[in-house]
């Protein structure tokens, strides 16, 4: 097994292929074996798992995933890294590398194609050290596409992990917190300092596991409507909920006023005070 997770090996692979980490793609390569083990342990990867890795880079985490999982699909946008991955993953026959933008990938189709191993169905998990410049759109896609995912275990900027776990009434609470907490149970499983990457990011990182609810605590009658209400409330964060929703064209002022009254909430309340449950109820009343 040719583990890449050390500064010298990572530098050697990049040099051999005449490459440098590309800032525009958010490339910060992991070089710490403990962190990699911890991510795979936290995601509870086993032979009955199909893992989607977003952004395999030079294949450091992919090697760990391939050792433990039934199958791995790795989607990498940077075509310069494809020959590197062919080299570093040559020992594994359970990895499929795709040179694609994850935001333009039909993930359901990938899952449908790969969901069995020797006739047995696999659990579908996402594990990734995400490119930080597109963390939120990736997470929103994964949640809103309603993929048959068991869990999403990702390295993100610490500040984003805090937003995912934020509770109503705090400054970090917003549309991302609500989407994450509506579909999943979030739990930070590791704090990772910049020294664990090459090159070092200028922010702290956290590994967060989002475990999808099999029995969700809140079920909105119309999820699309609820998320439209949520987006409009947080687009105009400093406005009251009534003005935010009316300004966002989601509902008439009078309708919002009536709904808030029925819910026993004050007229001048802001969206950041409402829980997932209250947003679900509000969307229903509107
Ligand atoms: N997994 C590797 C590791 O841990 O060392 C690399 C992680 S690096 C933080 C993020 C990776 O995502 C890079 O390889 C980058 O090229 C890739 N990436 C960036 N944007 C992407 C996109 N839209 N679709 C797929 N991969 C992307």
């Amino acid at each position: 097994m040719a583990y890449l997770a050390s500064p010298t090996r990572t530098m050697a692979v990049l040099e051999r292929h005449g490459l440098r980490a590309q800032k525009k793609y958010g490339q910060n390569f992991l070089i710490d074996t403990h962190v990699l083990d911890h991510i795979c342990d936290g995601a509870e990867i086993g032979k009955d798992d199909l893992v989607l890795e977003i952004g395999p880079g030079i294949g450091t985490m992919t090697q760990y995933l391939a050792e433990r999982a039934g199958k791995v699909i790795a989607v990498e946008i940077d075509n310069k890294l494809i020959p590197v991955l062919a080299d570093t993953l040559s020992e594994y026959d359970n990895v499929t590398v795709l040179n694609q933008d994850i935001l333009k990938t039909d993930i359901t189709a990938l899952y449908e194609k790969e969901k069995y191993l020797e006739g047995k169905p696999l659990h579908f998990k996402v594990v990734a050290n995400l490119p930080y410049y597109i963390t939120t759109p990736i997470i929103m896609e994964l949640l809103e596409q309603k993929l048959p995912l068991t869990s999403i275990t990702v390295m993100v900027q610490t500040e984003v992990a805090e937003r995912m776990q934020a509770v109503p009434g705090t400054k970090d609470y917003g549309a991302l917190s609500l989407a994450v907490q509506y579909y999943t149970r979030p739990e930070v499983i590791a704090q990772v300092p910049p020294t664990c990457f090459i090159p070092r990011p200028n922010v702290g990182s956290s590994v967060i596991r989002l475990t999808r609810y099999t029995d969700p605590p809140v079920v909105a009658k119309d999820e699309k409507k609820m998320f439209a209400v949520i987006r409009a409330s947080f687009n105009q964060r400093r406005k009251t909920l009534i003005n935010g929703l009316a300004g966002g064209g989601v509902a008439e002022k009078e309708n919002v006023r009536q709904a808030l009254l029925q819910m026993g909430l004050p007229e001048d309340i802001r969206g950041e005070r409402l829980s997932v449950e209250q947003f679900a109820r509000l969307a229903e009343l509107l």
Side-chain angles (χ1 to χ4, degrees), residues 238-242 260 265-271 273:
R238 297 179 54 193
K239 288 194 177 174
T240 61
L241 193 59
I242 291 184
L260 291 177
L265 295 171
E267 262 190 32
D268 61 352
I269 198 164
R270 290 176 205 277
R273 296 262 156 212

Side-chain angles (χ1 to χ4, degrees), residues 25-30 53 55-57 76-77 101-102 129 133:
Y25 288 136
Q27 291 176 359
N28 298 97
F29 302 116
L30 265 168
E53 188 192 3
E76 174 55 60
I77 197 170
D101 178 346
I102 193 65
N129 170 15
Y133 73 108

Side-chain angles (χ1 to χ4, degrees), residues 218-257:
V218 180
V219 179
K221 280 217 172 103
D222 182 346
E223 282 176 13
K224 263 200 170 149
K225 173 100 189 238
M226 181 183 74
F227 281 108
V229 169
I230 289 172
R231 268 192 295 272
S233 323
F234 287 98
N235 272 347
Q236 314 200 20
R237 220 187 155 93
R238 297 179 54 193
K239 288 194 177 174
T240 61
L241 193 59
I242 291 184
N243 286 336
L245 294 186
V250 171
E252 298 290 331
K253 270 191 183 181
E254 191 45 39
N255 291 350
V256 186
R257 186 172 292 124

